[in-house]
Amino acid sequence: MRNLSFKWCKWDKRYFIAALITLICSIICGIILYKFVSINIYFNNYAKDYIYYIFNFKNSKILISHFLSELFYFYIFFLIGYFTKFKYVTLLFIFLRGLYFSVYTAILIGFNAFGGVTVAVLVFIPISLISIFLCCVITDCCKIVNKKYVFFLPLILAAVNTFVLLVMVNVVFRVIIVIV
């Protein structure tokens, strides 16, 4: 059976299964922690600002912060995956990303009614899952890239992920909101 195998990259199936289990556990923990974190003003302000910027065509603040955070995480995953043999350490970062992802999703859905549910389902959840998947790909497949260009891999993937966010907000989200 050739699940998770490509000609150019030999994937570590145990790592991806461990990452998936870690992500599921962190999502469960984030949903449980939702009640404790919902009183924190930072999380509430972030959720309200996120919804406001998406609905009011002010994408620059979201795109810049998203690009910088993705660049930071992608380089962390890249440095651990490329320079060490301890790629399972990245599961800790996957757990943290999944925890924040699920807490923000619960706050978006819980506090902000229809607008929060719409933003969470159409923009936030797909972009976050794509980002976590790209982190796993960077960790597992960064050693096969040409050594000249390997240090630009996280930068390129962060730009691609930000472009996907831009498309999700300005094309998919806008079209669905206009239709509804």
Side-chain angles (χ1 to χ4, degrees), residues 1-7 9-14 16-17 140:
M1 187 182 285
R2 293 183 163 246
N3 293 337
L4 295 175
S5 62
F6 290 95
K7 291 180 181 179
C9 182
K10 193 171 186 179
W11 292 25
D12 186 8
K13 294 173 187 159
R14 289 178 289 161
F16 282 106
I17 292 171
D140 202 34

Side-chain angles (χ1 to χ4, degrees), residues 18-92:
L20 184 64
I21 291 170
T22 304
L23 183 63
I24 290 170
C25 291
S26 67
I27 289 172
I28 292 169
C29 290
I31 292 170
I32 292 170
L33 286 176
Y34 162 70
K35 283 294 183 187
F36 299 111
V37 179
S38 64
I39 59 174
N40 188 346
I41 196 71
Y42 171 75
F43 288 108
N44 295 333
N45 285 341
Y46 178 79
K48 288 176 186 174
D49 289 344
Y50 198 82
I51 292 171
Y52 174 76
Y53 291 139
I54 287 179
F55 271 104
N56 291 322
F57 297 103
K58 296 183 179 182
N59 300 332
S60 62
K61 291 183 181 181
I62 292 175
L63 292 176
I64 292 169
S65 65
H66 181 79
F67 178 73
L68 293 176
S69 68
E70 293 302 319
L71 194 62
F72 175 73
Y73 274 111
F74 286 171
Y75 269 108
I76 286 176
F77 279 79
F78 169 73
L79 292 173
I80 292 172
Y82 189 72
F83 290 112
T84 67
K85 294 185 183 211
F86 305 115
K87 69 179 172 184
Y88 288 97
V89 173
T90 59
L91 294 176
L92 174 68

Side-chain angles (χ1 to χ4, degrees), residues 97-157:
R97 288 203 67 173
L99 187 70
Y100 285 125
F101 156 68
S102 61
V103 166
Y104 283 134
T105 303
I107 289 174
L108 282 171
I109 291 172
F111 279 145
N112 298 305
F114 179 72
V117 172
T118 308
V119 168
V121 170
L122 295 178
V123 178
F124 190 72
I125 292 173
I127 291 299
S128 297
L129 291 177
I130 289 170
S131 173
I132 292 172
F133 176 73
L134 287 177
C135 287
C136 293
V137 169
I138 285 174
T139 303
D140 202 34
C141 297
C142 65
K143 291 186 180 182
I144 62 155
V145 178
N146 190 351
K147 296 201 186 290
K148 286 183 190 178
Y149 309 112
V150 73
F151 293 106
F152 297 113
L153 179 67
L155 177 68
I156 293 168
L157 288 179

